[in-house]
Amino acid sequence: MLGHLPGELSAGGTWPTGSSTELTASSPTAAWTLPRLLSAFNLLTPTAGEPAWRETATASLKPAAVLIPIIARGDQLSVLLTRRSAQLRHHPGQISFPGGRQDPDDGDLATTALRETHEELGIPARYIQLLGELPAHITVSHYRMVPFIGLLAPDYPLTPAADEVAEAFELPLAPLLHPANYGRWQVQRGSQLHTVFGITQQQRLVWGATARILWQLACQLNTAE
């Protein structure tokens, strides 16, 4: 059976199939801790000037970056997400990571992810420890988007930019790190229903590029173990 929530459609990508389900803290992945995550992913802190962190635009794709901000409070992990403003032209109201297009002054895409996080959420870079990156994603809007994983200090300041962010919130990370929890949902755009791949937690539907990135992270971590 398909889940059904209203929302905006952002098609693209080939998604795995599955059934939709509402997740709780009792999910099988509740035992994920920061040491386990770091061990499974074998993450390394980036160094300045490392070639792998430098990205350039191609003729058809624009370089962009997002940050996956992970917060560790004791043995509990959460991830900070945003809901885009309804006034935005692209993907209004959709749940996303902080991030955006690379500026000419950004030395690399890691800098882009940190700058965009500061601009959107008011979180200075000193509150974030970059840990690593995931493979780039090609979006329907012709961006080559690189997701960076960062450890966010639990006492981070939060001042969302009202013109870009409707709200910022945390979700427990553990249920998001189990690939089988992802499934198909229907979202409504105008008078039409569209089937998308995503995950729902705490009455919030995460789909589109954000769900794709989280699903890839879940697969990578579970494969590593």
Side-chain angles (χ1 to χ4, degrees):
M1 178 181 294
L2 298 180
H4 176 223
L5 287 176
E8 294 289 334
L9 176 68
S10 174
T14 301
W15 305 105
T17 59
S19 60
S20 55
T21 180
E22 179 69 24
L23 305 178
T24 67
S26 60
S27 168
T29 53
W32 277 102
T33 62
L34 183 60
R36 180 186 171 195
L37 184 148
L38 295 177
S39 175
F41 199 40
N42 193 24
L43 296 172
L44 298 175
T45 303
T47 57
E50 189 175 345
W53 295 81
R54 297 192 178 277
E55 303 288 343
T56 57
T58 66
S60 59
L61 298 176
K62 299 162 285 189
V66 296
L67 181 72
I68 306 174
I70 295 175
I71 304 100
R73 296 185 178 91
D75 290 336
Q76 301 300 314
L77 299 179
S78 60
V79 60
L80 180 64
L81 295 163
T82 72
R83 182 167 61 84
R84 293 168 60 84
S85 169
Q87 275 62 56
L88 291 175
R89 180 180 177 183
H90 299 294
H91 315 299
Q94 192 168 334
I95 292 175
S96 65
F97 295 113
R101 184 173 181 174
Q102 185 178 31
D103 279 356
D105 293 338
D106 293 339
D108 50 35
L109 283 178
T111 301
T112 300
L114 294 174
R115 175 184 55 76
E116 287 282 345
T117 300
H118 189 203
E119 292 177 1
E120 292 182 22
L121 299 176
I123 302 175
R126 66 179 180 274
Y127 286 85
I128 303 164
Q129 178 188 356
L130 287 182
L131 300 173
E133 65 180 279
L134 292 172
H137 288 257
I138 308 304
T139 72
V140 294
S141 47
H142 305 291
Y143 284 94
R144 183 179 185 273
M145 182 175 64
V146 176
F148 288 86
I149 300 176
L151 184 62
L152 179 59
D155 60 344
Y156 64 89
L158 186 63
T159 310
D163 58 336
E164 295 186 60
V165 179
E167 63 172 328
F169 56 92
E170 293 183 30
L171 288 180
L173 183 63
L176 302 175
L177 296 183
H178 190 45
N181 286 337
Y182 291 78
R184 293 171 295 143
W185 286 86
Q186 288 185 337
V187 297
Q188 187 167 357
R189 185 181 185 184
S191 60
Q192 295 184 337
L193 288 176
H194 302 268
T195 301
V196 299
F197 177 80
I199 187 169
T200 180
Q201 188 180 163
Q202 297 183 358
Q203 300 298 312
R204 299 179 186 271
L205 177 62
V206 182
W207 56 286
T210 305
R212 183 178 176 180
I213 291 169
L214 286 169
W215 179 79
Q216 181 185 46
L217 176 62
C219 291
Q220 185 165 346
L221 289 175
N222 285 278
T223 300
E225 290 196 320

